[in-house]
Amino acid sequence: MDTIPYKSVSLHKAVLFKGLTSQQYEDLLKRGLSKTLQSKTILFHQGDSAISCVIVNRGRLKLTKLNEQGKEVILRYIGIGELTAAIAVLKDRDYPVTAESIEETDVTVWDKPTMMQMMREYPDIAINLLGIILERIEDVQNRYLEVCTERVDQRIARSLLRLMRRAGLKVPDGIHINIPLSRQNIADYSGTTLYTVSRTLSAWEKKGWISSGRERIVVTDPHALVRFSETV
Amino acid sequence: MDTIPYKSVSLHKAVLFKGLTSQQYEDLLKRGLSKTLQSKTILFHQGDSAISCVIVNRGRLKLTKLNEQGKEVILRYIGIGELTAAIAVLKDRDYPVTAESIEETDVTVWDKPTMMQMMREYPDIAINLLGIILERIEDVQNRYLEVCTERVDQRIARSLLRLMRRAGLKVPDGIHINIPLSRQNIADYSGTTLYTVSRTLSAWEKKGWISSGRERIVVTDPHALVRFSETV
DNA sequence: CGCTCTATTGATAAACCTCAAATACAGTGG
DNA sequence: CCACTGTATTTGAGGTTTATCAATAGAGCG
């Protein structure tokens, strides 16, 4: 079981500090605070600093957002080597982004003053971070487009493919999405309900496109899913 | 008719160059390319540079995204003093963001090499841009949440309120949204169809919440709309 | 084995889209 | 000033999609 090479692990860590020497890199790591989070620990609801940066060294974070009625959407899963930046341009936000560990997770955190200092000292860090954030905005925009224009089953297909590319492990019968994913999680990630997800996955399981269990998804026919997701 | 003080005009221009002297600011402006766009001119479909920055000096841009079937969503309107940054991390994207002027528009454009140089020279520019982009990602995430969790009429209400805050002009009978907005535009901005928008606006017009005409919306009772948008 | 959490499935209802047709509006040229 | 034309808007009818509710089944754990 090795990670499929869709996306190299610890890519973003490299990207954030790209252009710096090893010595500088080591120094910057030391300025951050390392933490180990138990599973289901909330890392932040809302940073009280304008920018604070988190890199995941082990485990995985789930970024979510709640609306007034308590309905949740999953914005992203942050895996090993990836980072997330919390913002709080205004204080007392009502519906901020929440970062929660979904398994035991090691992170390195830089607070706002440290980040600001590092970015002023090494402009490349700000530029690198900008590149990462721009990729993120691209991702949200794509998902916004999807949720605005596509049927729910297409969106579920795209969601599985997206998760597969970012957290897929090769197993004998296909590609296992290495995140504990309940039907509710997939629904929150696709903008639908757990019932619709359940019905849809059942249908795909009958077709042999996936194989699933309790909080476990294996994509057995990725090409079929891709084709389906692009169906008119 | 003066701009309501929800958001100061030319705010972002100031933000991007915050921390620099007037002399430096003048110099940086000169490094950009100034253009005047006729109405309905496409400024970019896809930059072939990783980051290129555009500031609007007069007029307004519309940022849109198309899916495979040609369905369009409006990501944002970019008004005077605001900026947008085009990205093309990968080449040959199929569904990039499109920026189009919706009236005669003056812009200043910096290409990727220039932006990179400016950001390295003045780290504050990269940091400022980061702040702006983080606000943008916050905005898209909010709208993503809305489209995933709210009814279509609530989303239309929020869309009108959002546009009102960013492009509202006080008129005798309320606040005029100073953008030519067809029902189709509002639909593309809210993730619905022009028919649903038309029905919804008709209902609100009967209630006295808005007053509308061909490509023209005046919000006559903003509070009612706010209350409605927060209704369960 | 019993408890709890997750998943499945059917029935029903609500929300929303699609299509069609009619109407209103703005601009243009006679 | 008026008819004409092209676009925008309205509205109704009907159908599809998807959510909701309810009840049952299954999986994992002590």
Side-chain angles (χ1 to χ4, degrees):
Chain A
M1 296 229 310
D2 39 74
T3 302
I4 55 174
Y6 282 110
K7 199 136 195 173
S8 157
V9 159
S10 94
L11 175 65
H12 281 99
K13 190 165 190 171
V15 169
L16 182 62
F17 296 111
K18 199 169 63 180
L20 304 184
T21 65
S22 310
Q23 180 55 47
Q24 292 168 334
Y25 169 70
E26 292 299 329
D27 169 49
L28 293 174
L29 274 191
K30 279 186 201 123
R31 297 200 215 168
L33 179 64
S34 285
K35 292 186 188 182
T36 295
L37 309 171
Q38 297 301 310
S39 182
K40 298 183 184 174
T41 305
I42 289 178
L43 179 57
F44 60 80
H45 253 301
Q46 160 182 10
D48 44 6
S49 46
I51 304 167
S52 93
C53 189
V54 177
I55 284 186
V56 172
N57 304 309
R58 181 175 64 99
R60 204 177 292 270
L61 298 176
K62 183 178 74 171
L63 294 190
T64 60
K65 213 165 161 59
L66 284 176
N67 79 348
E68 291 94 332
Q69 288 89 49
K71 288 186 188 170
E72 179 175 309
V73 297
I74 296 177
L75 295 173
R76 196 185 183 85
Y77 288 95
I78 308 287
I80 296 172
E82 291 188 309
L83 64 81
T84 181
I87 31 163
V89 182
L90 302 170
K91 300 222 165 191
D92 304 322
R93 279 178 189 279
D94 288 333
Y95 314 104
V97 173
T98 300
E100 181 190 346
S101 57
I102 56 170
E103 55 192 281
E104 197 172 295
T105 300
D106 297 335
V107 293
T108 306
V109 182
W110 291 268
D111 62 12
K112 182 193 167 183
T114 308
M115 275 305 285
M116 292 298 270
Q117 198 188 333
M118 280 162 54
M119 289 191 292
R120 288 230 169 70
E121 212 167 314
Y122 304 105
D124 278 0
I125 293 180
I127 295 171
N128 294 337
L129 185 53
L130 200 51
I132 295 168
I133 303 287
L134 284 171
E135 267 185 61
R136 291 299 161 83
I137 214 171
E138 181 79 358
D139 184 63
V140 194
Q141 283 175 351
N142 280 328
R143 287 173 61 198
Y144 178 74
L145 175 66
E146 287 168 19
V147 82
C148 284
T149 62
E150 290 182 354
R151 285 196 323 272
V152 70
D153 50 1
Q154 288 178 289
R155 290 176 354 230
I156 295 171
R158 288 196 196 271
S159 295
L160 291 190
L161 290 169
R162 190 172 273 121
L163 291 166
M164 186 191 82
R165 290 191 191 98
R166 295 175 32 75
L169 294 179
K170 272 186 189 149
V171 291
D173 52 338
I175 296 168
H176 173 226
I177 297 176
N178 193 28
I179 303 175
L181 277 181
S182 68
R183 301 299 187 253
Q184 182 68 59
N185 290 150
I186 297 172
D188 292 343
Y189 192 73
S190 309
T192 178
T193 62
L194 75 95
Y195 307 104
T196 300
V197 170
S198 178
R199 277 177 236 276
T200 306
L201 296 193
S202 293
W204 292 348
E205 194 139 14
K206 284 197 187 87
K207 291 186 182 181
W209 296 358
I210 64 164
S211 130
S212 75
R214 193 187 172 93
E215 302 195 324
R216 191 185 55 82
I217 307 279
V218 177
V219 179
T220 47
D221 191 347
H223 297 303
L225 269 192
V226 169
R227 257 180 282 117
F228 179 80
S229 72
E230 291 168 353
T231 304
V232 177
Chain B
M1 296 231 311
D2 41 74
T3 303
I4 55 173
Y6 283 109
K7 198 136 198 174
S8 157
V9 159
S10 95
L11 176 65
H12 281 99
K13 190 165 190 172
V15 169
L16 181 62
F17 296 112
K18 200 169 63 182
L20 304 184
T21 66
S22 311
Q23 179 56 46
Q24 291 169 333
Y25 169 70
E26 292 299 328
D27 169 49
L28 294 173
L29 275 191
K30 280 187 202 120
R31 296 200 215 169
L33 179 63
S34 286
K35 291 186 188 182
T36 295
L37 309 171
Q38 296 302 309
S39 181
K40 298 183 184 175
T41 306
I42 290 178
L43 179 57
F44 60 80
H45 253 302
Q46 160 184 10
D48 43 8
S49 46
I51 303 167
S52 92
C53 190
V54 177
I55 284 186
V56 173
N57 304 310
R58 181 175 65 98
R60 205 178 289 272
L61 298 176
K62 183 177 75 172
L63 294 189
T64 59
K65 215 166 158 61
L66 285 174
N67 80 348
E68 292 95 332
Q69 288 90 47
K71 287 187 190 170
E72 178 174 310
V73 297
I74 296 177
L75 295 173
R76 196 183 183 86
Y77 287 95
I78 308 289
I80 296 173
E82 293 188 308
L83 63 81
T84 181
I87 31 165
V89 182
L90 303 169
K91 299 221 167 193
D92 302 323
R93 280 176 189 279
D94 287 334
Y95 315 106
V97 173
T98 300
E100 181 190 345
S101 57
I102 57 169
E103 54 192 280
E104 198 172 295
T105 300
D106 296 334
V107 294
T108 306
V109 182
W110 292 267
D111 62 11
K112 183 193 170 183
T114 308
M115 276 305 286
M116 292 299 269
Q117 199 189 331
M118 280 163 53
M119 290 191 292
R120 287 228 170 71
E121 214 167 313
Y122 304 104
D124 278 359
I125 293 180
I127 295 172
N128 294 338
L129 185 54
L130 200 50
I132 295 168
I133 303 288
L134 284 171
E135 268 185 60
R136 290 299 161 85
I137 213 171
E138 180 79 358
D139 183 62
V140 194
Q141 283 174 351
N142 281 328
R143 288 173 60 196
Y144 179 74
L145 175 65
E146 287 168 19
V147 81
C148 284
T149 61
E150 290 183 353
R151 285 195 325 271
V152 71
D153 51 1
Q154 288 178 289
R155 295 184 340 239
I156 295 171
R158 289 196 196 270
S159 295
L160 290 191
L161 290 169
R162 190 172 273 121
L163 291 167
M164 186 192 81
R165 289 190 192 98
R166 294 174 33 76
L169 293 180
K170 273 185 189 149
V171 290
D173 52 336
I175 296 168
H176 172 227
I177 297 175
N178 192 29
I179 303 176
L181 276 181
S182 68
R183 302 299 187 255
Q184 182 68 59
N185 290 150
I186 298 172
D188 292 343
Y189 192 74
S190 309
T192 178
T193 62
L194 75 96
Y195 307 104
T196 300
V197 169
S198 177
R199 277 177 238 276
T200 307
L201 296 193
S202 292
W204 293 347
E205 194 139 12
K206 284 199 187 84
K207 292 186 183 180
W209 295 358
I210 65 164
S211 129
S212 75
R214 193 187 173 94
E215 301 195 324
R216 189 186 58 83
I217 307 279
V218 177
V219 179
T220 47
D221 190 348
H223 298 302
L225 270 191
V226 169
R227 259 181 279 118
F228 179 82
S229 72
E230 290 168 353
T231 304
V232 178

PDB file of all heavy atoms in Angstrom, chain A residues 151, chain C residues 13-17, chain D residues 14-18:
ATOM      1  N   ARG A 151     -25.660  18.158 -11.493  1.00  0.00           N
ATOM      2  CA  ARG A 151     -26.562  17.308 -10.721  1.00  0.00           C
ATOM      3  C   ARG A 151     -25.811  16.750  -9.517  1.00  0.00           C
ATOM      4  O   ARG A 151     -24.586  16.656  -9.516  1.00  0.00           O
ATOM      5  CB  ARG A 151     -27.061  16.147 -11.575  1.00  0.00           C
ATOM      6  CG  ARG A 151     -28.113  16.478 -12.602  1.00  0.00           C
ATOM      7  CD  ARG A 151     -28.769  15.173 -13.069  1.00  0.00           C
ATOM      8  NE  ARG A 151     -27.776  14.092 -13.140  1.00  0.00           N
ATOM      9  CZ  ARG A 151     -27.035  13.849 -14.211  1.00  0.00           C
ATOM     10  NH1 ARG A 151     -27.169  14.568 -15.305  1.00  0.00           N
ATOM     11  NH2 ARG A 151     -26.172  12.861 -14.192  1.00  0.00           N
TER      12      ARG A 151
ATOM     13  P    DA C  13     -47.558  13.245   0.494  1.00  0.00           P
ATOM     14  OP1  DA C  13     -48.684  13.587   1.383  1.00  0.00           O
ATOM     15  OP2  DA C  13     -47.771  12.925  -0.927  1.00  0.00           O
ATOM     16  O5'  DA C  13     -46.491  14.421   0.588  1.00  0.00           O
ATOM     17  C5'  DA C  13     -45.631  14.516   1.731  1.00  0.00           C
ATOM     18  C4'  DA C  13     -44.632  15.634   1.501  1.00  0.00           C
ATOM     19  O4'  DA C  13     -43.546  15.154   0.665  1.00  0.00           O
ATOM     20  C3'  DA C  13     -45.220  16.826   0.766  1.00  0.00           C
ATOM     21  O3'  DA C  13     -44.657  17.996   1.331  1.00  0.00           O
ATOM     22  C2'  DA C  13     -44.771  16.626  -0.678  1.00  0.00           C
ATOM     23  C1'  DA C  13     -43.418  15.966  -0.477  1.00  0.00           C
ATOM     24  N9   DA C  13     -42.991  15.103  -1.580  1.00  0.00           N
ATOM     25  C8   DA C  13     -43.736  14.187  -2.270  1.00  0.00           C
ATOM     26  N7   DA C  13     -43.072  13.547  -3.197  1.00  0.00           N
ATOM     27  C5   DA C  13     -41.795  14.075  -3.113  1.00  0.00           C
ATOM     28  C6   DA C  13     -40.615  13.823  -3.833  1.00  0.00           C
ATOM     29  N6   DA C  13     -40.535  12.920  -4.812  1.00  0.00           N
ATOM     30  N1   DA C  13     -39.518  14.528  -3.500  1.00  0.00           N
ATOM     31  C2   DA C  13     -39.609  15.427  -2.513  1.00  0.00           C
ATOM     32  N3   DA C  13     -40.659  15.753  -1.770  1.00  0.00           N
ATOM     33  C4   DA C  13     -41.729  15.036  -2.122  1.00  0.00           C
ATOM     34  P    DA C  14     -45.357  19.392   1.142  1.00  0.00           P
ATOM     35  OP1  DA C  14     -45.934  19.757   2.445  1.00  0.00           O
ATOM     36  OP2  DA C  14     -46.167  19.382  -0.097  1.00  0.00           O
ATOM     37  O5'  DA C  14     -44.093  20.309   0.893  1.00  0.00           O
ATOM     38  C5'  DA C  14     -42.862  20.022   1.558  1.00  0.00           C
ATOM     39  C4'  DA C  14     -41.705  20.406   0.673  1.00  0.00           C
ATOM     40  O4'  DA C  14     -41.536  19.435  -0.380  1.00  0.00           O
ATOM     41  C3'  DA C  14     -41.886  21.758  -0.020  1.00  0.00           C
ATOM     42  O3'  DA C  14     -40.797  22.564   0.350  1.00  0.00           O
ATOM     43  C2'  DA C  14     -41.935  21.422  -1.516  1.00  0.00           C
ATOM     44  C1'  DA C  14     -41.204  20.091  -1.576  1.00  0.00           C
ATOM     45  N9   DA C  14     -41.606  19.204  -2.658  1.00  0.00           N
ATOM     46  C8   DA C  14     -42.867  18.781  -2.965  1.00  0.00           C
ATOM     47  N7   DA C  14     -42.912  17.958  -3.987  1.00  0.00           N
ATOM     48  C5   DA C  14     -41.591  17.835  -4.380  1.00  0.00           C
ATOM     49  C6   DA C  14     -40.979  17.099  -5.409  1.00  0.00           C
ATOM     50  N6   DA C  14     -41.634  16.325  -6.257  1.00  0.00           N
ATOM     51  N1   DA C  14     -39.645  17.193  -5.522  1.00  0.00           N
ATOM     52  C2   DA C  14     -38.973  17.976  -4.660  1.00  0.00           C
ATOM     53  N3   DA C  14     -39.445  18.708  -3.659  1.00  0.00           N
ATOM     54  C4   DA C  14     -40.774  18.594  -3.574  1.00  0.00           C
ATOM     55  P    DA C  15     -40.792  24.077  -0.001  1.00  0.00           P
ATOM     56  OP1  DA C  15     -40.415  24.808   1.220  1.00  0.00           O
ATOM     57  OP2  DA C  15     -42.027  24.414  -0.758  1.00  0.00           O
ATOM     58  O5'  DA C  15     -39.564  24.141  -1.008  1.00  0.00           O
ATOM     59  C5'  DA C  15     -38.459  23.288  -0.783  1.00  0.00           C
ATOM     60  C4'  DA C  15     -37.664  23.154  -2.057  1.00  0.00           C
ATOM     61  O4'  DA C  15     -38.316  22.236  -2.956  1.00  0.00           O
ATOM     62  C3'  DA C  15     -37.521  24.472  -2.820  1.00  0.00           C
ATOM     63  O3'  DA C  15     -36.143  24.686  -2.998  1.00  0.00           O
ATOM     64  C2'  DA C  15     -38.279  24.234  -4.134  1.00  0.00           C
ATOM     65  C1'  DA C  15     -38.262  22.724  -4.263  1.00  0.00           C
ATOM     66  N9   DA C  15     -39.408  22.129  -4.945  1.00  0.00           N
ATOM     67  C8   DA C  15     -40.726  22.329  -4.671  1.00  0.00           C
ATOM     68  N7   DA C  15     -41.551  21.628  -5.434  1.00  0.00           N
ATOM     69  C5   DA C  15     -40.691  20.928  -6.260  1.00  0.00           C
ATOM     70  C6   DA C  15     -40.930  19.999  -7.297  1.00  0.00           C
ATOM     71  N6   DA C  15     -42.147  19.607  -7.684  1.00  0.00           N
ATOM     72  N1   DA C  15     -39.854  19.486  -7.925  1.00  0.00           N
ATOM     73  C2   DA C  15     -38.637  19.866  -7.536  1.00  0.00           C
ATOM     74  N3   DA C  15     -38.290  20.716  -6.575  1.00  0.00           N
ATOM     75  C4   DA C  15     -39.379  21.214  -5.973  1.00  0.00           C
ATOM     76  P    DC C  16     -35.624  26.043  -3.578  1.00  0.00           P
ATOM     77  OP1  DC C  16     -34.243  26.206  -3.089  1.00  0.00           O
ATOM     78  OP2  DC C  16     -36.650  27.083  -3.365  1.00  0.00           O
ATOM     79  O5'  DC C  16     -35.546  25.723  -5.120  1.00  0.00           O
ATOM     80  C5'  DC C  16     -34.776  24.602  -5.534  1.00  0.00           C
ATOM     81  C4'  DC C  16     -35.081  24.274  -6.964  1.00  0.00           C
ATOM     82  O4'  DC C  16     -36.416  23.749  -7.073  1.00  0.00           O
ATOM     83  C3'  DC C  16     -35.034  25.468  -7.905  1.00  0.00           C
ATOM     84  O3'  DC C  16     -33.820  25.371  -8.628  1.00  0.00           O
ATOM     85  C2'  DC C  16     -36.273  25.305  -8.792  1.00  0.00           C
ATOM     86  C1'  DC C  16     -36.811  23.926  -8.405  1.00  0.00           C
ATOM     87  N1   DC C  16     -38.292  23.777  -8.460  1.00  0.00           N
ATOM     88  C2   DC C  16     -38.837  22.819  -9.308  1.00  0.00           C
ATOM     89  O2   DC C  16     -38.086  22.114  -9.988  1.00  0.00           O
ATOM     90  N3   DC C  16     -40.175  22.683  -9.367  1.00  0.00           N
ATOM     91  C4   DC C  16     -40.961  23.457  -8.614  1.00  0.00           C
ATOM     92  N4   DC C  16     -42.285  23.283  -8.699  1.00  0.00           N
ATOM     93  C5   DC C  16     -40.429  24.439  -7.743  1.00  0.00           C
ATOM     94  C6   DC C  16     -39.092  24.575  -7.693  1.00  0.00           C
ATOM     95  P    DC C  17     -33.532  26.284  -9.890  1.00  0.00           P
ATOM     96  OP1  DC C  17     -32.072  26.484  -9.917  1.00  0.00           O
ATOM     97  OP2  DC C  17     -34.448  27.434  -9.881  1.00  0.00           O
ATOM     98  O5'  DC C  17     -33.913  25.343 -11.113  1.00  0.00           O
ATOM     99  C5'  DC C  17     -33.399  24.016 -11.138  1.00  0.00           C
ATOM    100  C4'  DC C  17     -33.943  23.268 -12.348  1.00  0.00           C
ATOM    101  O4'  DC C  17     -35.370  23.088 -12.194  1.00  0.00           O
ATOM    102  C3'  DC C  17     -33.738  23.992 -13.679  1.00  0.00           C
ATOM    103  O3'  DC C  17     -33.228  23.058 -14.622  1.00  0.00           O
ATOM    104  C2'  DC C  17     -35.130  24.511 -14.040  1.00  0.00           C
ATOM    105  C1'  DC C  17     -36.053  23.508 -13.357  1.00  0.00           C
ATOM    106  N1   DC C  17     -37.378  24.053 -12.911  1.00  0.00           N
ATOM    107  C2   DC C  17     -38.564  23.472 -13.382  1.00  0.00           C
ATOM    108  O2   DC C  17     -38.495  22.541 -14.182  1.00  0.00           O
ATOM    109  N3   DC C  17     -39.748  23.966 -12.947  1.00  0.00           N
ATOM    110  C4   DC C  17     -39.781  24.975 -12.086  1.00  0.00           C
ATOM    111  N4   DC C  17     -40.978  25.414 -11.679  1.00  0.00           N
ATOM    112  C5   DC C  17     -38.588  25.577 -11.591  1.00  0.00           C
ATOM    113  C6   DC C  17     -37.413  25.091 -12.031  1.00  0.00           C
TER     114       DC C  17
ATOM    115  P    DG D  14     -50.781  20.995 -17.098  1.00  0.00           P
ATOM    116  OP1  DG D  14     -51.576  20.301 -18.101  1.00  0.00           O
ATOM    117  OP2  DG D  14     -51.258  21.146 -15.703  1.00  0.00           O
ATOM    118  O5'  DG D  14     -49.338  20.315 -17.057  1.00  0.00           O
ATOM    119  C5'  DG D  14     -48.497  20.372 -18.209  1.00  0.00           C
ATOM    120  C4'  DG D  14     -47.145  19.804 -17.845  1.00  0.00           C
ATOM    121  O4'  DG D  14     -46.408  20.769 -17.054  1.00  0.00           O
ATOM    122  C3'  DG D  14     -47.230  18.527 -17.001  1.00  0.00           C
ATOM    123  O3'  DG D  14     -46.380  17.563 -17.586  1.00  0.00           O
ATOM    124  C2'  DG D  14     -46.743  18.964 -15.625  1.00  0.00           C
ATOM    125  C1'  DG D  14     -45.793  20.096 -15.979  1.00  0.00           C
ATOM    126  N9   DG D  14     -45.550  21.062 -14.929  1.00  0.00           N
ATOM    127  C8   DG D  14     -46.466  21.609 -14.066  1.00  0.00           C
ATOM    128  N7   DG D  14     -45.929  22.454 -13.213  1.00  0.00           N
ATOM    129  C5   DG D  14     -44.587  22.457 -13.535  1.00  0.00           C
ATOM    130  C6   DG D  14     -43.505  23.169 -12.968  1.00  0.00           C
ATOM    131  O6   DG D  14     -43.526  23.970 -12.032  1.00  0.00           O
ATOM    132  N1   DG D  14     -42.300  22.876 -13.610  1.00  0.00           N
ATOM    133  C2   DG D  14     -42.163  22.001 -14.655  1.00  0.00           C
ATOM    134  N2   DG D  14     -40.940  21.847 -15.141  1.00  0.00           N
ATOM    135  N3   DG D  14     -43.162  21.331 -15.198  1.00  0.00           N
ATOM    136  C4   DG D  14     -44.335  21.608 -14.587  1.00  0.00           C
ATOM    137  P    DG D  15     -46.347  16.090 -17.077  1.00  0.00           P
ATOM    138  OP1  DG D  15     -46.786  15.211 -18.159  1.00  0.00           O
ATOM    139  OP2  DG D  15     -46.968  16.024 -15.731  1.00  0.00           O
ATOM    140  O5'  DG D  15     -44.770  15.920 -16.889  1.00  0.00           O
ATOM    141  C5'  DG D  15     -43.873  16.717 -17.682  1.00  0.00           C
ATOM    142  C4'  DG D  15     -42.515  16.701 -17.028  1.00  0.00           C
ATOM    143  O4'  DG D  15     -42.441  17.760 -16.029  1.00  0.00           O
ATOM    144  C3'  DG D  15     -42.190  15.405 -16.298  1.00  0.00           C
ATOM    145  O3'  DG D  15     -40.836  15.083 -16.560  1.00  0.00           O
ATOM    146  C2'  DG D  15     -42.420  15.743 -14.828  1.00  0.00           C
ATOM    147  C1'  DG D  15     -42.026  17.214 -14.790  1.00  0.00           C
ATOM    148  N9   DG D  15     -42.658  17.996 -13.735  1.00  0.00           N
ATOM    149  C8   DG D  15     -43.986  17.982 -13.371  1.00  0.00           C
ATOM    150  N7   DG D  15     -44.254  18.803 -12.394  1.00  0.00           N
ATOM    151  C5   DG D  15     -43.035  19.388 -12.092  1.00  0.00           C
ATOM    152  C6   DG D  15     -42.699  20.361 -11.106  1.00  0.00           C
ATOM    153  O6   DG D  15     -43.435  20.915 -10.294  1.00  0.00           O
ATOM    154  N1   DG D  15     -41.344  20.681 -11.138  1.00  0.00           N
ATOM    155  C2   DG D  15     -40.430  20.125 -12.008  1.00  0.00           C
ATOM    156  N2   DG D  15     -39.167  20.548 -11.895  1.00  0.00           N
ATOM    157  N3   DG D  15     -40.729  19.220 -12.922  1.00  0.00           N
ATOM    158  C4   DG D  15     -42.043  18.899 -12.910  1.00  0.00           C
ATOM    159  P    DT D  16     -40.290  13.624 -16.275  1.00  0.00           P
ATOM    160  OP1  DT D  16     -39.967  12.995 -17.562  1.00  0.00           O
ATOM    161  OP2  DT D  16     -41.184  12.946 -15.303  1.00  0.00           O
ATOM    162  O5'  DT D  16     -38.930  13.965 -15.557  1.00  0.00           O
ATOM    163  C5'  DT D  16     -38.215  15.121 -15.971  1.00  0.00           C
ATOM    164  C4'  DT D  16     -37.312  15.588 -14.851  1.00  0.00           C
ATOM    165  O4'  DT D  16     -38.073  16.346 -13.886  1.00  0.00           O
ATOM    166  C3'  DT D  16     -36.643  14.448 -14.073  1.00  0.00           C
ATOM    167  O3'  DT D  16     -35.254  14.650 -14.152  1.00  0.00           O
ATOM    168  C2'  DT D  16     -37.206  14.571 -12.654  1.00  0.00           C
ATOM    169  C1'  DT D  16     -37.636  16.029 -12.589  1.00  0.00           C
ATOM    170  N1   DT D  16     -38.783  16.337 -11.685  1.00  0.00           N
ATOM    171  C2   DT D  16     -38.653  17.338 -10.745  1.00  0.00           C
ATOM    172  O2   DT D  16     -37.626  17.973 -10.601  1.00  0.00           O
ATOM    173  N3   DT D  16     -39.770  17.553  -9.988  1.00  0.00           N
ATOM    174  C4   DT D  16     -40.971  16.881 -10.060  1.00  0.00           C
ATOM    175  O4   DT D  16     -41.911  17.170  -9.329  1.00  0.00           O
ATOM    176  C5   DT D  16     -41.045  15.841 -11.064  1.00  0.00           C
ATOM    177  C7   DT D  16     -42.299  15.062 -11.223  1.00  0.00           C
ATOM    178  C6   DT D  16     -39.963  15.618 -11.821  1.00  0.00           C
ATOM    179  P    DT D  17     -34.245  13.575 -13.532  1.00  0.00           P
ATOM    180  OP1  DT D  17     -33.143  13.405 -14.483  1.00  0.00           O
ATOM    181  OP2  DT D  17     -35.011  12.407 -13.041  1.00  0.00           O
ATOM    182  O5'  DT D  17     -33.696  14.369 -12.274  1.00  0.00           O
ATOM    183  C5'  DT D  17     -33.540  15.773 -12.378  1.00  0.00           C
ATOM    184  C4'  DT D  17     -33.424  16.384 -11.006  1.00  0.00           C
ATOM    185  O4'  DT D  17     -34.725  16.484 -10.382  1.00  0.00           O
ATOM    186  C3'  DT D  17     -32.548  15.584 -10.048  1.00  0.00           C
ATOM    187  O3'  DT D  17     -31.603  16.488  -9.534  1.00  0.00           O
ATOM    188  C2'  DT D  17     -33.531  15.058  -9.003  1.00  0.00           C
ATOM    189  C1'  DT D  17     -34.632  16.106  -9.035  1.00  0.00           C
ATOM    190  N1   DT D  17     -36.000  15.654  -8.636  1.00  0.00           N
ATOM    191  C2   DT D  17     -36.698  16.416  -7.704  1.00  0.00           C
ATOM    192  O2   DT D  17     -36.245  17.408  -7.178  1.00  0.00           O
ATOM    193  N3   DT D  17     -37.952  15.943  -7.431  1.00  0.00           N
ATOM    194  C4   DT D  17     -38.567  14.833  -7.975  1.00  0.00           C
ATOM    195  O4   DT D  17     -39.699  14.526  -7.644  1.00  0.00           O
ATOM    196  C5   DT D  17     -37.780  14.094  -8.929  1.00  0.00           C
ATOM    197  C7   DT D  17     -38.361  12.878  -9.570  1.00  0.00           C
ATOM    198  C6   DT D  17     -36.549  14.543  -9.213  1.00  0.00           C
ATOM    199  P    DT D  18     -30.344  15.984  -8.710  1.00  0.00           P
ATOM    200  OP1  DT D  18     -29.283  17.001  -8.876  1.00  0.00           O
ATOM    201  OP2  DT D  18     -30.091  14.560  -9.025  1.00  0.00           O
ATOM    202  O5'  DT D  18     -30.878  16.092  -7.210  1.00  0.00           O
ATOM    203  C5'  DT D  18     -31.287  17.376  -6.751  1.00  0.00           C
ATOM    204  C4'  DT D  18     -32.035  17.222  -5.472  1.00  0.00           C
ATOM    205  O4'  DT D  18     -33.320  16.605  -5.688  1.00  0.00           O
ATOM    206  C3'  DT D  18     -31.334  16.375  -4.407  1.00  0.00           C
ATOM    207  O3'  DT D  18     -31.062  17.225  -3.332  1.00  0.00           O
ATOM    208  C2'  DT D  18     -32.340  15.272  -4.083  1.00  0.00           C
ATOM    209  C1'  DT D  18     -33.656  15.900  -4.520  1.00  0.00           C
ATOM    210  N1   DT D  18     -34.757  14.974  -4.855  1.00  0.00           N
ATOM    211  C2   DT D  18     -35.996  15.203  -4.297  1.00  0.00           C
ATOM    212  O2   DT D  18     -36.217  16.131  -3.539  1.00  0.00           O
ATOM    213  N3   DT D  18     -36.967  14.305  -4.660  1.00  0.00           N
ATOM    214  C4   DT D  18     -36.827  13.221  -5.507  1.00  0.00           C
ATOM    215  O4   DT D  18     -37.773  12.495  -5.753  1.00  0.00           O
ATOM    216  C5   DT D  18     -35.502  13.048  -6.060  1.00  0.00           C
ATOM    217  C7   DT D  18     -35.236  11.906  -6.990  1.00  0.00           C
ATOM    218  C6   DT D  18     -34.537  13.922  -5.713  1.00  0.00           C
TER     219       DT D  18
END
